Amino acid sequence: LAAARMSGLDAALTIAGVLDAGARAAADLAAQRHNVSGHITFVGPYLQADAPGIYRDADGYVMTKHADPCPNTVIEAMACGLPVVYVASGGVPELVGADAGAGVPAHDDWEQLFRPDPEALGAAMVAVAENADAMGDAARKRAETAFDLNQWIERHATIFKQLLERN
């Protein structure tokens, strides 16, 4: 957030979900150290029914987890038309595709803790902000075409029917 703001982006960060006391204290300390405390809101725990409203209040979604195979939150954000800033590892690049967000480089070493470069994250946030309309449209379209539940059910029904017909 600090890197994006230093680049001139008038950005704020909303953190939704449960944070343990240690993580919250570390986040507060980091926000103070980087002079962004006034630009961060902690929503805390929320109900699944509240998630669409949280997404609608945002302009983009930031996913910094390394090597996550298939985070539902990325798909949910894209379904709400949010472009995604993400760590280019795990399944996230495949979920987001080429046009629905901006990735930051990540190594594939599973033995070492990975933290994304803050400057790269800030630059990705700026890139998404500069292309928010096109990326948001691409995100929504990708969510509709790649992750629509009805299409998923139809594909699986076809596969199961083919398997049953073979036997």
Side-chain angles (χ1 to χ4, degrees):
L1 176 61
R5 291 187 62 77
M6 289 184 70
S7 294
L9 184 64
D10 184 19
L13 183 64
T14 299
I15 300 173
V18 177
L19 287 179
D20 66 40
R24 175 63 191 261
D28 286 335
L29 185 61
Q32 290 172 6
R33 186 172 55 245
H34 295 287
N35 297 316
V36 293
S37 295
H39 304 285
I40 299 176
T41 302
F42 292 92
V43 172
Y46 61 93
L47 298 174
Q48 186 63 34
D50 297 330
I54 294 169
Y55 289 122
R56 278 192 297 272
D57 288 343
D59 296 314
Y61 182 74
V62 179
M63 172 66 175
T64 60
K65 187 173 179 187
H66 179 250
D68 196 325
C70 187
N72 286 339
T73 56
V74 168
I75 298 169
E76 291 170 358
M78 292 188 336
C80 291
L82 293 180
V84 180
V85 171
Y86 61 92
V87 171
S89 67
V92 179
E94 183 179 352
L95 295 178
V96 176
D99 301 322
V104 299
H107 64 73
D108 289 329
D109 184 353
W110 293 78
E111 301 298 319
Q112 279 188 307
L113 178 65
F114 176 79
R115 289 194 175 119
D117 177 61
E119 299 300 321
L121 280 172
M125 290 172 73
V126 170
V128 162
E130 290 173 346
N131 300 292
D133 289 341
M135 286 183 173
D137 289 346
R140 176 66 185 171
K141 182 176 276 187
R142 182 148 178 81
E144 289 174 346
T145 59
F147 307 110
D148 178 82
L149 181 60
N150 292 323
Q151 292 177 15
W152 185 88
I153 290 170
E154 287 174 19
R155 286 192 307 262
H156 282 75
T158 300
I159 290 168
F160 291 138
K161 182 179 178 187
Q162 290 171 348
L163 288 171
L164 289 171
E165 287 173 355
R166 285 187 203 164
N167 294 332

